[in-house]
Amino acid sequence: METVETIKESMESDIPRLQEAIKAESLEREDANAALFSKASEELRKLRDRVDAQRKAREDTEEAMLEMLKDMVGRIKADIEAERSDRKATEETLLALLELSLIHISEPTRLGMISYAVFCLKKKKKKK
């Protein structure tokens, strides 16, 4: 049977070996933690890159849509202005016609396929 002294000597001789094992395990854990931290950092960087790319794509899409809307508004404004211009020209023509009166319509000059009518317009006198 072992004596207390023998057990004590055995334990004291095992202390450096145990300290070395603890140190080795601690280094392994540090290495594993560093690798895990590095992997997590890399995944975070990839995620940030993906989010940045999606944000950029969304901004580009929004800018393209804004340009398209600006172009559409410009075309609509141009159409409205053309419509106003056409309407104004029509109104001016109608007003000018209202100031004229029909004074003569000629009869066809001959029998046959060709005949014509001449409309003569005279400016109306303004009533006071």
Side-chain angles (χ1 to χ4, degrees):
M1 194 158 134
E2 293 184 55
T3 64
V4 173
E5 225 21 74
T6 309
I7 294 173
K8 184 179 177 185
E9 286 175 9
S10 174
M11 287 178 67
E12 285 177 355
S13 69
D14 286 342
I15 288 178
R17 187 176 50 82
L18 289 173
Q19 286 175 335
E20 190 62 37
I22 290 171
K23 186 177 179 182
E25 187 177 329
S26 177
L27 289 175
E28 285 177 19
R29 283 186 183 167
E30 285 178 14
D31 288 346
N33 287 344
L36 185 60
F37 181 76
S38 176
K39 186 174 181 178
S41 296
E42 179 64 22
E43 290 300 318
L44 181 60
R45 184 194 61 75
K46 287 178 183 177
L47 183 60
R48 283 182 181 155
D49 289 348
R50 214 173 316 142
V51 167
D52 288 344
Q54 288 175 349
R55 183 180 298 126
K56 176 77 170 113
R58 186 178 62 245
E59 288 170 356
D60 290 347
T61 301
E62 288 170 353
E63 287 178 18
M65 290 176 67
L66 183 60
E67 287 301 316
M68 185 174 59
L69 287 172
K70 285 180 181 177
D71 183 54
M72 288 173 63
V73 168
R75 282 187 275 137
I76 290 170
K77 283 182 177 179
D79 289 347
I80 289 171
E81 190 58 40
E83 176 92 14
R84 283 182 184 157
S85 178
D86 289 347
R87 189 177 311 133
K88 185 176 180 182
T90 302
E91 288 172 359
E92 289 172 355
T93 302
L94 288 174
L95 287 173
L97 287 174
L98 289 174
E99 293 180 2
L100 301 175
S101 64
L102 185 62
I103 60 170
H104 178 71
I105 298 178
S106 71
E107 295 294 323
T109 55
R110 62 181 142 144
L111 298 173
M113 299 295 288
I114 301 173
S115 65
Y116 63 94
V118 176
F119 296 89
C120 298
L121 300 173
K122 174 176 131 181
K123 196 168 187 175
K124 287 183 181 177
K125 295 180 182 179
K126 292 186 181 181
K127 298 178 183 176
K128 292 185 180 182

